[in-house]
Amino acid sequence: GAVVSQHPSWVICKSGTSVKIECRSLDFQATTMFWYRQFPKQSLMLMATSNEGSKATYEQGVEKDKFLINHASLTLSTLTVTSAHPEDSSFYICSSLAAAHNEQFFGPGTRLTVL
Amino acid sequence: GNSVTQMEGPVTLSEEAFLTINCTYTATGYPSLFWYVQYPGEGLQLLLKATKADDKGSNKGFEATYRKETTSFHLEKGSVQVSDSAVYFCAPRSGNTPLVFGKGTRLSVIA
């Protein structure tokens, strides 16, 4: 089946630093990837839709200058949390759309803790 | 846009009990319907899906039937196990739009 990986699986950083999270489709090409965030014991909230070679589309209320998304290839999308603050601590999950199956496959998530 | 309403959790059951988690949705067009499961500390895994009305999705003893007339996709399992303890998410999806999740239902199964 389709596999999506994320790196790192967890990260702890100091307030004010930037953190980059990678999302890779290991055995299929994904023209579209999605980024979600999940607070403890809550649902996944869609942050943005990332299309290969074009700018990401952000959901209402998500700061595009704070959460930089780059989808430079058909197998890699990155989310950079810039100038992270404790309120950015969350579980970030990416999802790749496999066009052949018209199905979303999810990465294992990255837990970000900002001190 | 699409939306989903799931029954509030947490749901606590004894092993071998019958499970039902209700899910109703609103969506544009004719969506596909999905149930995802999230085990503690992990990402989401597809549990089952149905792509058209009256389809039944099934996996690992779980079943859900796409009911267009009631816009529902209730999840059922005849005999739950401790290993089924997780959070379950129902989600509709129309075309290429992203999955939109409900609040999820936390299931705890005790031995």
Side-chain angles (χ1 to χ4, degrees), chain A residues 5-11 19-23 35-36 38 90-94 107-113:
Chain A
S5 70
Q6 278 186 243
H7 178 79
S9 56
W10 60 271
V11 57
V19 174
K20 180 185 284 188
I21 302 170
E22 292 186 348
C23 176
W35 286 95
Y36 295 81
Q38 183 181 34
S90 190
F91 194 49
Y92 292 88
I93 301 175
C94 73
T110 297
R111 185 164 302 285
L112 170 64
T113 301

Side-chain angles (χ1 to χ4, degrees), chain B residues 63-76:
Chain B
E63 293 183 340
T65 301
Y66 190 143
R67 300 291 186 197
K68 184 170 179 289
E69 64 277 12
T70 55
T71 62
S72 65
F73 193 52
H74 304 322
L75 182 68
E76 296 181 337

Side-chain angles (χ1 to χ4, degrees), chain B residues 29-45:
Chain B
Y30 299 95
S32 295
L33 301 174
F34 300 83
W35 275 101
Y36 282 83
V37 58
Q38 185 178 32
Y39 297 101
E42 298 183 14
L44 268 69
Q45 301 176 26

